[in-house]
Structures are given as C-alpha cells and as structure tokens.
Amino acid sequence: MSKRSLTAGLIVAVALLGVGGLFASNMGFKLNYTMQNPASQGGTGIGANTLALPFNRQSGMNTAQDLINDIGSTSVVNVQRYIESSNSFQTRDSASGPNFNLAAGEGYFVTMSADVNYIAVGSHGPTVQVSLDQPSGGASIGANLYAPPYHQTASTAQELINDIGSTNVVNVQRYIESSNSYQTRDSASGPNFNLLPGEAYFVTMSTTVLYTPSHY
C-alpha cells in the first residue's frame, strides 16, 4: 500500500467527483504525504524525498523557504531544485542558502531530519504547459525533475512516456529512498513502476516538449 494518500478530495467548490476517480480541471487537493528521515528509510537512505506540489500552490507558498516553513523548519535539512543546464542542484538549507522560487510542474528534493506527514494543499492549473527540455549544451543531459498533477491519467511510467510522446522520451526515473538510487523505465523497456501522488520524477528527453498533462 502506498504511503501517500489523498485525504480530502474537495477543496474548491464546483469541482466534480466521478465514480472511479476525479475529473474537472478546477479540482482542489489536500494530500497527506509522508516524508521520512534516514532511520525510517533504512538501508542507505539519506533522508531525501521527492516532492510534487500542486500546479496552483496554496497562498503564500512561493519560495523554498516558504516550503521549509510549511513542512516545519526543525524537521527539514534542506530543499533542492534541479538545475538542468549544469546537471546539478541548488540548495536551500533550513534558513540559509539561495531562496529560490517554486514553479508549477517542477519537482523538488526535500531532505528530512525527522518524519513528517506533510499536508500539501492546492489545485490544478489546466492551462499550464511544462517545458520538458532536451540537452542544451554544457553539462545538460536532457533531464527534467517533473512534478505531475495529482489527478493525472498516467498511472505508470510507461503511461507517462506515452502521454508525453514516446519518441521524445529517453527514460523516466523514480528515486528509491531506501537505497538512495534510481529505478529507470526506458521508452519501452525496464521496470514499469507505478506513479504516486506527491512524488516527482526525472524525465530525460531527446526533444523539447511543451507538455500539458492529461488528467481526470
């Protein structure tokens, strides 16, 4: 059973609930998302967790420090943003380092010193196009840390590849907390893992795509 669960489906009025899933682009969400410290992750876990926020975040959630404060600053070691051009990370520690802006469709690594059941609140932005970029010179490898909407229709790595366009995707990677490693689904081979609400994924592209996720 997933440790991630949607605990309250309806935040925005006029959103619709359908049998077997959610639909309507103005659906609001409240996600109970467990982020773990190294001891809880076990193995060679370092306390790192990927996090996907709703495209329209709750009011006041604009920067990495806002996110740290909302999770609980005493429980967070740092928040990291992936820099595509240099294949590296920009880091905001609990109260120091560059305080970068958060962006719709961008995933983050959050390293924890204590377990937190984080309540992520927001709604979807159906007109948002996420730029999934191909290699662009320098140290760029075409990787993008992508934050899917919680009600996407793609439920597996292969379905996400197909929705983006399989001829444009090199692979999709999921971070494995317990081993501090990655599970990889190539365009049509490798383990076809499930996608979970609240997790972010590396998507490596051979062609740049302005991607509008399919959703319920």
Side-chain angles (χ1 to χ4, degrees):
M1 180 177 294
S2 167
K3 67 179 180 179
R4 326 296 193 193
S5 60
L6 285 168
T7 57
L10 186 59
I11 293 174
V12 180
V14 306
L16 303 176
L17 287 172
V19 177
L22 303 174
F23 60 99
S25 60
N26 53 358
M27 178 64 66
F29 300 102
K30 182 179 180 181
L31 177 71
N32 185 354
Y33 187 77
T34 303
M35 292 193 288
Q36 297 180 324
N37 70 5
S40 295
Q41 290 176 347
T44 55
I46 59 173
N49 305 256
T50 63
L51 175 63
L53 296 169
F55 282 20
N56 292 321
R57 302 174 300 279
Q58 62 181 302
S59 177
M61 185 72 71
N62 301 312
T63 68
Q65 188 62 50
D66 292 334
L67 177 58
I68 290 168
N69 294 342
D70 199 50
I71 296 170
S73 59
T74 59
S75 302
V76 178
V77 177
N78 59 52
V79 172
Q80 292 185 303
R81 171 178 175 258
Y82 179 67
I83 308 299
E84 299 170 8
S85 60
S86 58
N87 187 30
S88 63
F89 288 90
Q90 186 176 29
T91 301
R92 174 69 177 185
D93 293 327
S94 186
S96 63
N99 189 21
F100 53 84
N101 291 329
L102 306 177
E106 184 176 71
Y108 304 99
F109 274 93
V110 183
T111 301
M112 305 295 294
S113 59
D115 289 358
V116 170
N117 289 326
Y118 177 54
I119 306 300
V121 178
S123 62
H124 186 53
T127 62
V128 173
Q129 290 184 311
V130 180
S131 184
L132 299 175
D133 301 322
Q134 66 181 1
S136 57
S140 172
I141 59 173
N144 304 258
L145 187 51
Y146 169 60
Y150 299 165
H151 62 330
Q152 64 179 358
T153 57
S155 61
T156 68
Q158 187 60 50
E159 289 176 357
L160 177 59
I161 289 168
N162 293 344
D163 197 50
I164 297 169
S166 60
T167 60
N168 304 312
V169 179
V170 177
N171 60 49
V172 172
Q173 293 185 305
R174 173 177 177 256
Y175 179 67
I176 308 299
E177 298 170 1
S178 61
S179 59
N180 188 31
S181 62
Y182 292 89
Q183 187 176 28
T184 301
R185 174 69 177 185
D186 293 327
S187 185
S189 63
N192 188 22
F193 51 84
N194 291 329
L195 307 181
L196 301 177
E199 278 192 348
Y201 303 94
F202 274 110
V203 181
T204 302
M205 304 292 293
S206 59
T207 306
T208 296
V209 172
L210 291 177
Y211 175 50
T212 303
S214 299
H215 59 83
Y216 291 107

